[in-house]
Amino acid sequence: MPPTRPTGPADLLAAAVRRDPAAPLVTWYDDATGARVELSATTLANWVSKTANLLQEEFDTAPGSTVAVALPVHWQTTAVLLGVWSCGAAVLDTAVEDDGRLADADVVLAAQDRLPPLEEQDLPELLGLSLHPLGMGMTGYAGPARDFALEVRGHGDVFTPWQPVDPARPGLLAGGAQFSLGELVRTAEELAARLGLVAGDRVLVDERAATEAGPVAWLLAPLAAGASLVLVHDAASAQLQSRAEAERVTATLGTKLDGIRELGHPV
């Protein structure tokens, strides 16, 4: 039987698990601290399932729900985004400083350093992420936000949505634009083709470029193409060339390196 065509972003991750469950799918570097985290497709899927179960069981996240995500490009952000989409809900991608933009969000997930302005907005549900390389909880925090890392650990490794995921439902609200879950997949597939992404690519993504491009470009397009990711926070330019070689990078997004093709640009 041929594989079922993906109808939502969660299907793109499921395809990666079927294709090669043990291969590195997301590798994350923080050049400021020297941290490195690598997740196989199976490990990422485990995080996604736990996140989706947390959202569904604790916050009733389902088709029609809106989850605001105020997080940088990070390995935990991949789990959060795909967890929201696994529930069939919409991601609201906005700066937490934009007063009023979060009024319609059912749940807000934000980096710990972005919590203070949120605590003043009387939000219904607020989760904070330390973004610790190993997924540890927040330290030195005494505010009202629940700690994502502590909450997510107790949830199951397998996720089944309580309501069927509808590809026609909203999947991403960003910059005044709206994409349905199905449109996210189609847009990712089209963008992957335009960028020249191919199966087996290992893509080095600079955080600044990814933030500007949005999650369809830095996350979903590579997944749609069957590629893997090397995400770099606080990139030290002097190290990128050697790191790309060590990680067997075949393409870059937003960074130009010798001998490696830059996506969207002719070789």
Side-chain angles (χ1 to χ4, degrees):
M1 292 287 293
T4 304
R5 195 181 188 290
T7 58
D11 294 333
L12 300 178
L13 176 60
V17 173
R18 290 193 300 269
R19 187 167 53 246
D20 196 341
L25 185 61
V26 176
T27 304
W28 175 82
Y29 281 92
D30 184 350
D31 279 354
T33 65
R36 178 185 184 274
V37 177
E38 184 167 278
L39 282 72
S40 67
T42 297
T43 303
L44 178 58
N46 179 272
W47 273 93
V48 169
S49 291
K50 284 182 174 294
T51 301
N53 279 316
L54 166 64
L55 292 170
Q56 179 171 257
E57 294 167 9
E58 299 292 333
F59 307 107
D60 295 324
T61 303
S65 299
T66 299
V67 179
V69 177
L71 297 170
V73 176
H74 190 279
W75 71 263
Q76 290 184 50
T77 306
T78 66
V80 167
L81 292 171
L82 291 165
V84 174
W85 289 323
S86 295
C87 294
V91 168
L92 173 61
D93 187 6
T94 184
V96 298
E97 295 80 6
D98 292 345
D99 289 340
R101 291 296 306 277
L102 301 178
D104 296 328
D106 301 293
V107 188
V108 179
L109 292 95
Q112 182 176 350
D113 62 359
R114 299 174 73 175
L115 289 175
L118 293 173
E119 295 168 357
E120 303 172 359
Q121 296 189 35
D122 192 30
L123 300 171
E125 301 290 355
L126 178 60
L127 283 165
L129 284 82
S130 69
L131 299 180
H132 186 282
L134 301 180
M136 305 296 286
M138 296 187 289
T139 57
Y141 178 75
R146 295 167 67 173
D147 192 324
F148 171 83
L150 301 182
E151 299 278 348
V152 78
R153 290 174 189 166
H155 289 273
D157 300 339
V158 177
F159 175 71
T160 301
W162 291 340
Q163 298 181 35
V165 174
D166 182 353
R169 287 274 196 169
L172 179 65
L173 311 171
Q178 177 173 308
F179 298 86
S180 70
L181 292 164
E183 286 171 338
L184 284 175
V185 172
R186 293 190 293 273
T187 302
E189 292 172 338
E190 292 167 1
L191 181 58
R194 291 204 307 271
L195 291 174
L197 277 162
V198 297
D201 263 338
R202 189 141 169 82
V203 185
L204 187 147
V205 179
D206 177 77
E207 181 183 28
R208 286 167 292 186
T211 300
E212 294 176 2
V216 175
W218 71 262
L219 176 58
L220 296 184
L223 285 179
S228 62
L229 291 166
V230 178
L231 307 174
V232 184
H233 169 68
D234 202 13
S237 57
Q239 300 177 25
L240 284 180
Q241 188 72 43
S242 60
R243 175 173 301 128
E245 294 168 0
E247 292 289 348
R248 299 182 180 179
V249 166
T250 61
T252 64
L253 179 64
T255 300
K256 186 173 181 61
L257 296 175
D258 292 340
I260 301 175
R261 80 183 193 278
E262 185 178 2
L263 294 174
H265 294 265
V267 179

